[in-house]
Amino acid sequence: LRGGKLPRNVPYSRKKFQTRFSLSAAQSELFNRCLARRIKDELMFRVLPGDLMQVVKTGGQFVVEENLAEEQQRFDAGMTAITGPIYGPKMKAPLEEPARREETVLLEAELSIAEFRKYSKLTMGSRRPYLIRLSEIEITRSQEGLRFEFELPKGTYATSLMRELTRGE
């Protein structure tokens, strides 16, 4: 994010790809740090006042400002998801403690939202659910071992899911 320059002889299309890829990697790393902190602090399954939630069926987002117990029930039922930051100038921000937690991650990385504005066309910013609940997964035996079939939403990776499914194996 801070002034890394590519050699002049690199074609424009390659520079654009490398810049986009690097920025996306930085956004993913920061999201993962926020997620790791939430897991470490045992807040993965707890809705906090100020959390920015996403309605699973529609994708609509809202901030938890009241009715915390009701929002916890909706989360527990899989109707909503707690979201984490994909930093950028158009990212919707949470409030209260969740906002402070996300700001701390940026500060520890010695970054600010202002630095993402320099690349606003490439790092618009968004929110992504911390927890993905699979609605359907099919596991069958094959000669090679087990075969897993499932669908994941945009921005999630099958390798991460498989790591979680086979953890400890």
Side-chain angles (χ1 to χ4, degrees):
L1 288 176
R2 292 200 194 107
K5 301 266 186 206
L6 295 171
R8 290 178 190 233
N9 62 347
V10 175
Y12 173 78
S13 61
R14 184 78 174 151
K15 282 182 189 179
K16 185 175 178 181
F17 170 80
Q18 288 178 329
T19 301
R20 184 182 309 256
F21 186 80
S22 297
L23 292 168
S24 179
Q27 287 174 309
S28 293
E29 172 63 20
L30 293 167
F31 173 89
N32 290 342
R33 288 181 187 187
C34 289
L35 174 60
R37 181 161 292 172
R38 191 118 184 178
I39 292 169
K40 178 182 169 277
D41 295 342
E42 298 181 358
L43 296 173
M44 233 358 249
F45 301 99
R46 191 165 130 220
V47 176
L48 300 174
D51 266 330
L52 206 149
M53 306 294 288
Q54 180 174 324
V55 179
V56 172
K57 282 191 177 186
T58 65
Q61 296 181 348
F62 65 95
V63 174
V64 176
E65 296 186 72
E66 50 190 53
N67 302 324
L68 186 61
E70 182 180 317
E71 291 308 330
Q72 184 67 54
Q73 287 177 335
R74 287 174 15 113
F75 172 79
D76 292 342
M79 297 169 66
T80 61
I82 302 166
T83 65
I86 301 299
Y87 292 101
K90 295 193 177 199
M91 179 193 83
K92 293 179 184 176
L95 302 174
E96 302 180 39
E97 181 182 346
R100 289 188 294 275
R101 296 173 67 82
E102 291 180 13
E103 182 63 26
T104 298
V105 167
L106 269 184
L107 290 171
E108 287 174 355
E110 299 179 0
L111 293 170
S112 71
I113 291 294
E115 289 169 293
F116 288 94
R117 284 190 191 103
K118 295 175 191 173
Y119 303 95
S120 61
K121 291 182 181 176
L122 301 176
T123 61
M124 300 200 38
S126 62
R127 304 290 300 181
R128 182 175 296 160
Y130 279 134
L131 178 66
I132 302 301
R133 300 174 197 240
L134 292 178
S135 57
E136 293 184 33
I137 183 169
E138 189 174 318
I139 305 171
T140 55
R141 289 196 180 273
S142 71
Q143 286 183 323
E144 295 83 27
L146 295 176
R147 178 182 174 92
F148 293 80
E149 293 184 51
F150 49 84
E151 288 186 27
L152 295 173
K154 179 181 175 184
T156 56
Y157 296 94
T159 52
S160 297
L161 173 64
M162 295 307 297
R163 183 184 65 236
E164 293 301 315
L165 291 174
T166 60
R167 181 166 280 173
E169 295 300 314

